[in-house]
Amino acid sequence: MWPTHRDETPFAPEWGPPGRARRVMRVVGPVMGVVWAVFLLQPWQSAWASPPGWERTVSLLAVAGLALSFAWVVLTHAGPHGTRMPTGRAALFLGGQCVLVALACLAADQDGLVGLVFVCVSAVFLLRDPRALMVAGAAAVAVLVVPRLVTGWDTIDDLIISVFLATFAVFGFTQLVLRNRQLQLARDEVAVLAVERERERIARDMHDILGHSLTVISVKAELASRLFEVDAERARAEILEVQTLARSALADVRGMVSATRAVTLAGELAGARQAFDSAAIEADVPGTIEEVPDRLRELFAWAIREGTTNVLRHSAASHVRVTMTPDTLTIDDDGAGPDGDAPAGNGLHGLTERARQVGARVEMSRGPLGGYRLLVTTAPDGAR
């Protein structure tokens, strides 16, 4: 089956909602991240409430700068299409944010350390790997140690919970988005491969079906033209068979398109006998298929079709021998034999692919009759 077009389904197979909703989420998602900056109101209010002076001014500017830097990170590096910043640049950026946190503490005291939460979240968006968790660990150590070293500051150990919760929550979210994006890329690749594989199948089946049928039609039409003046009744019978073959080929093509055609080993053996008889080629063809296991019958049927087509087209043979065992099919002729410089055709490529799917292999060589040998087998090499 051909892959269904995306517009035919209510939801496209991509991360997030489709169409307009996805475009809206690309805007709403970062905006929701920027809203986190309201938590910087705590250090802002603490700095604002401090005595006027240069420390107060510097702290307020530092809090505002931290809010702007965090907003820039969210708008440019968050979401499903965010990119990782190079490690060197990320380290400089995060170092600058830490300097802003330190400046915010000039007037906001211990409340300025709230900015470390935003440094940790920025690290997750910029680094996009477990190294961001190390930044959270360093921030937690700073929250524990710095207030105890600075005279007059109160401890804010509960901020550690906020640091780790925010870091792990955002890290988990970014990893989920990354995995969903990778899954979508994999789905797109699978869809492309499915289309290519279907095209190859149709091309292979078209070659195998029409190549064989048109070859037999050509042989019978040529025989009918030769018999027209000698044996009109026989020529008429051959032309009727050409009509039957043409209808059968048309039915095969329709069945191929609708995936309902069936290729049977018994039918191909009967068709091979008829084709060789029409071409005046003496043929030894098995009369039974009972010893061939079910899983190999379709492969052997395609092999007989391909071998018959090659004999009629290229070999100029007068004798053909088809041999079947439970695990091997061989088709030998006494014709011109293989051309070592000639590349394998589409039919042999298709037959090789079919054989690979059931654990068999295809070999082409010069046979005991002096001509071409086509061998399809599941037996180990050298076991025949």
Side-chain angles (χ1 to χ4, degrees), residues 51-52 76 93 102 146 175 234 239 249 255 293-294 315 321 377 380:
T76 58
F93 187 90
V146 173
Q175 292 301 306
R234 175 77 184 278
I239 291 175
D294 291 341
S315 71
R321 183 171 64 206
T377 182

Side-chain angles (χ1 to χ4, degrees), residues 280-299:
I281 297 175
E282 181 184 355
D284 298 328
V285 179
T288 178
I289 63 172
E290 297 302 324
E291 63 179 354
V292 179
D294 291 341
R295 72 183 188 90
L296 294 179
R297 289 188 180 185
E298 183 177 356
L299 172 63

